[in-house]
Amino acid sequence: MSNHYFYGIMKRIFTLAAIAAAVANIFSAQAETVTIEAGGLKSAVASDPAAVTALTVNGTMDASDFAFITSELTALKTLDLTAAAPEGDAIPECGLMVASLEDVKLPKELKTLGQGALGGTAIRTVELPATLTTIGHGAFAECKNLTALTIPAGVSDLGAAFAAGCTALESATVGAGVGILPDRAFEGCAALTSVSLPKTLTAIGADAFSGCKTLADVTMPESLTSIGDHAFYGAGLVGIDLTGCTQLTTIGEWAFAKCPYLEMASMPANLKTLGRGVFYNATSMALSAVPEGVETVGDFALTGVAAGDDKNALTLPEGLTSLGAYALADWNNIEVLTIPPTLESIGDKAMANWTSLKQIDASKAVTIPTLGAEVWKGVPQAEAYLDVPKTLFKGFSTADQWKEFQVRAASSELTELLQMSGAEGLKVRFQRPLIIVGSAGAPIAGVQVYDMAGRLFSFPLNNDGTTATVDTSAWNAPTVIVRVELADHSAAAIKLSLR
């Protein structure tokens, strides 16, 4: 269905609403029960059509009967079609679009509810028959009084915006026959607090829950493979757990953007792409890391998110190849950033306003990532260190936007300790800012660190017997001597560069 066609339906909804409001109180109420054959409704209604407020129809019906209802029964409030048999077991397009209609009982054998069939009506509730298989575009759109909606299990075809603009809708259940929740399904349902999605659902369409301001929680079916653009834009979500959605590989653009209450988002391990603006300006969300397995972070994907671990450090995941424009902008609490060797490109202002940045660990880089414009705008580069492999030191030192950092050549290779008194199975490495000692033999009993003048450093030591770590953050020494003692009284020492 084209947008032009859909908006034509919506225009008709609003036009009929205005007409009904103008005439609803002019005529005295009339109730009628008629038994007809297809095409006979107009002649069967004895009262002035504009005065009929309640109607029960028995028998067959065709398109002309529904046209009579929508064009002439402008004060109709109650309609009972339980015993009616519409042509093709279908309510035609806009077939019951009477703005004054408050209560409707649908044919018990109904299979199809056409496009805009009940759009713009005043219904508060509606019971859909179990025989129903198709609900058309905008079938309940702009039903401002509708508070609850249950889609039967037999429905497999749901049209776009079928319940869009139902501003009083509080709860909705989508039946097991639905595999794809269509675009704009519940768009603008500002009162929606509860929604049940079937376990068989594979896709959530674009704008499906956009503007659902009170929707705090949705249980995501594990069968999901895609979430559309703007799917939850501006929704009231507090948390979102997608870890069980093992087939989900892409989240659409701006899918969870501007969700002001979103505090937590857990992603599946196989997610490859964070779409453009996916969590843009989700200002309450605390993200400890970019999800593992993500290869591409789109433009504006995580702009304005509160991020980093409890040490204000961020390690980008192995496998990440590109960061889009403004992708991580305004993460102003991050002090230490670790870049993976797979990172190839960083977009315009991707790390703008990282005002707390003190160190970038690019020691595992195999190439120098290409940079967009003003990647580090607002970052105190002259005060921050950039640790790079010795083989790329010259390249980083001369590359635009990288050379503004204090570039240092780092060594992260494992180094065998010199053996003393039979000490075996010991290794040491420097991974800024930590000296890490490991023992495959006797437990580690102690570690001492000296500068080249023989002065002993004072430092906090974490030691579980197998691994010991020394934090060198407070030191300026370029080279140290590390001495390790083992529980079997053996010992070893090595000279170690901290550059």
Side-chain angles (χ1 to χ4, degrees):
M1 180 185 70
S2 67
N3 285 337
H4 177 76
Y5 184 67
F6 175 75
Y7 289 122
I9 292 175
M10 299 307 294
K11 182 178 180 181
R12 185 171 177 183
I13 289 174
F14 294 125
T15 301
L16 289 177
I19 294 172
V23 303
N25 296 319
I26 297 177
F27 302 97
S28 59
Q30 297 289 335
E32 291 206 21
T33 298
V34 297
T35 300
I36 65 169
E37 293 184 356
L41 182 59
K42 183 173 183 178
S43 60
V45 173
S47 308
D48 181 349
V52 174
T53 58
L55 177 64
T56 299
V57 180
N58 303 312
T60 59
M61 299 177 70
D62 64 13
S64 66
D65 297 316
F66 288 100
F68 173 71
I69 291 173
T70 57
S71 62
E72 299 193 42
L73 301 183
T74 52
L76 189 64
K77 291 187 176 182
T78 302
L79 178 62
D80 186 349
L81 298 179
T82 306
E87 186 176 25
D89 292 322
I91 304 294
E93 177 183 319
C94 303
L96 298 176
M97 193 184 284
V98 181
S100 59
L101 188 61
E102 297 177 354
D103 181 38
V104 61
K105 294 180 180 178
L106 296 173
K108 59 184 179 181
E109 300 296 329
L110 188 67
K111 294 181 179 177
T112 300
L113 193 62
Q115 298 177 11
L118 285 160
T121 63
I123 60 171
R124 295 179 175 85
T125 61
V126 61
E127 184 176 349
L128 301 179
T131 55
L132 197 65
T133 61
T134 300
I135 296 176
H137 305 294
F140 302 101
E142 303 296 329
C143 289
K144 302 293 187 181
N145 296 330
L146 186 63
T147 60
L149 183 62
T150 297
I151 306 300
V155 174
S156 58
D157 185 4
L158 272 178
F162 72 91
C166 296
T167 53
L169 188 67
E170 297 176 355
S171 64
T173 298
V174 180
V178 176
I180 298 175
L181 192 68
D183 296 350
R184 303 181 60 204
F186 297 101
E187 181 186 38
C189 294
L192 187 64
T193 59
S194 173
V195 62
S196 176
L197 301 176
K199 295 180 179 180
T200 53
L201 196 70
T202 60
I204 295 176
D207 292 288
F209 295 97
S210 177
C212 294
K213 297 179 180 180
T214 57
L215 185 62
D217 180 61
V218 177
T219 299
M220 294 295 189
E222 294 183 359
S223 52
L224 271 183
T225 61
S226 66
I227 296 176
D229 298 346
H230 303 88
F232 292 88
Y233 187 94
L237 293 174
V238 173
I240 191 75
D241 185 358
L242 297 168
T243 53
C245 303
T246 56
Q247 301 177 67
L248 182 66
T249 57
T250 301
I251 298 176
E253 297 183 357
W254 313 98
F256 298 96
K258 291 194 174 182
C259 291
Y261 311 113
L262 187 62
E263 298 176 354
M264 179 278 295
S266 300
M267 300 292 108
N270 57 316
L271 186 67
K272 302 300 181 186
T273 301
L274 286 179
R276 190 169 187 259
V278 62
F279 290 110
Y280 175 78
N281 212 23
T283 53
S284 296
M285 190 169 79
L287 189 70
S288 61
V290 174
E292 292 291 334
V294 169
E295 298 174 356
T296 302
V297 178
D299 298 347
F300 301 96
L302 297 166
T303 305
V305 171
D309 60 18
D310 56 1
K311 296 182 180 179
N312 293 325
L314 176 72
T315 300
L316 297 178
E318 190 88 14
L320 183 69
T321 61
S322 66
L323 289 170
Y326 295 88
L328 309 179
D330 299 332
W331 290 20
N332 54 22
N333 62 311
I334 299 298
E335 297 180 3
V336 180
L337 170 67
T338 300
I339 292 176
T342 52
L343 188 62
E344 300 172 356
S345 64
I346 303 175
D348 299 349
K349 298 180 182 178
M351 278 85 162
N353 301 320
W354 282 35
T355 53
S356 299
L357 188 64
K358 297 178 181 179
Q359 179 191 351
I360 298 175
D361 183 354
S363 60
K364 294 183 179 180
V366 294
T367 60
I368 300 174
T370 59
L371 302 180
E374 299 182 295
V375 168
W376 313 102
K377 184 176 182 179
V379 175
Q381 288 178 267
E383 302 171 11
Y385 291 103
L386 171 61
D387 298 321
V388 302
K390 292 179 180 178
T391 54
L392 296 176
F393 176 79
K394 184 176 180 180
F396 274 102
S397 298
T398 57
D400 288 343
Q401 297 190 70
W402 291 112
K403 64 184 179 182
E404 285 75 17
F405 291 100
Q406 296 188 47
V407 184
R408 304 185 296 190
S411 175
S412 62
E413 295 84 10
L414 291 177
T415 306
E416 294 288 348
L417 280 172
L418 300 176
Q419 300 300 312
M420 295 177 60
S421 304
E424 296 180 354
L426 283 174
K427 290 185 178 181
V428 66
R429 63 190 176 98
F430 180 56
Q431 182 174 316
R432 192 172 306 279
L434 300 177
I435 296 172
I436 303 173
V437 179
S439 174
I444 299 169
V447 178
Q448 297 88 41
V449 182
Y450 303 84
D451 67 12
M452 297 308 292
R455 291 172 294 204
L456 179 65
F457 283 103
S458 175
F459 54 83
L461 175 67
N462 292 316
N463 180 17
D464 63 8
T466 301
T467 303
T469 59
V470 177
D471 190 340
T472 68
S473 299
W475 303 351
N476 293 318
T479 307
V480 295
I481 301 295
V482 180
R483 184 175 186 276
V484 183
E485 297 177 353
L486 300 182
D488 62 2
H489 304 295
S490 60
I494 192 174
K495 183 168 71 173
L496 184 67
S497 171
L498 302 187
R499 291 299 189 187

